[in-house]
Amino acid sequence: MKILVINGPNLARLDIRDSSIYGDLNYGELKSLIESAATTHGLVADVRQSDDEATIIGWLHEAADSNTPVIINPAAFTHYSYAIRDAAELLKAPLIEVHLSNPMAREEFRHTSVISGVANGTIGGFGPNSYVLALIAMKNLLSGAN
Ligand code: DQA
């Protein structure tokens, strides 16, 4: 089963972001980790990244049309993009929101997610492992185990 994994703005530059917040992996390494964790759990991850809101909305439309499950780290769009929320709401298959850091333990503007309300659940604060946990949660959701 194919899972679309969408990463939002600035996540391709993990190499220069604060590793004490986002962990030690660069984006290429994070992408490989997600792809191999998906394989381990019998899934195929299509991992994408964009800094562009319209591109992310297009990918969500594509997932809605093809009934593809989505794991999304909307990055800063988490906190204010009603357009991404409205696109995410169109999905018929499950949606899981992930974060490398724990936004609730950071600045106040990060405490609001406009995406969480249309997601099946949110996983954050575990570094790259947040994505692995999201893949396991997705597998369980798809098999009706939770
Ligand atoms: C993030 C948290 C967001 O607040 C931030 O804007 C990001 C990354 C995370 O993965 O921890 O870019 O989504």
Side-chain angles (χ1 to χ4, degrees):
M1 161 82 68
K2 189 182 111 173
I3 313 293
L4 179 59
V5 181
I6 298 175
N7 290 291
N10 301 305
L11 289 170
R13 296 314 314 271
L14 290 174
D15 56 326
I16 55 168
R17 293 188 83 177
D18 187 342
S19 61
S20 68
I21 296 174
Y22 296 114
D24 290 327
L25 301 191
N26 65 37
Y27 180 70
E29 291 164 340
L30 177 66
K31 187 172 184 288
S32 299
L33 173 78
I34 297 166
E35 288 164 350
S36 68
T39 304
T40 301
H41 294 287
L43 303 168
V44 175
D46 175 359
V47 185
R48 305 181 191 178
Q49 189 279 331
S50 180
D51 295 333
D52 177 46
E53 191 176 29
T55 299
I56 292 171
I57 290 167
W59 289 341
L60 288 167
H61 291 171
E62 204 184 286
D65 291 338
S66 58
N67 206 16
T68 301
V70 176
I71 293 172
I72 188 167
N73 182 347
F77 287 142
T78 305
H79 313 301
Y80 66 91
S81 177
Y82 299 124
I84 288 180
R85 180 202 164 98
D86 285 351
E89 198 170 20
L90 303 175
L91 297 170
K92 294 172 283 292
L95 171 69
I96 298 177
E97 177 187 348
V98 297
H99 300 283
L100 292 160
S101 66
N102 175 4
M104 295 306 288
R106 300 181 61 197
E107 304 95 319
E108 202 166 335
F109 76 89
R110 298 185 202 274
H111 297 183
T112 298
S113 168
V114 301
I115 310 299
S116 294
V118 294
N120 291 73
T122 301
I123 298 169
F126 300 99
N129 203 33
S130 293
Y131 290 82
V132 178
L133 295 170
L135 285 162
I136 294 167
M138 183 62 85
K139 190 185 177 185
N140 288 341
L141 273 177
L142 295 171
S143 67
N146 63 3

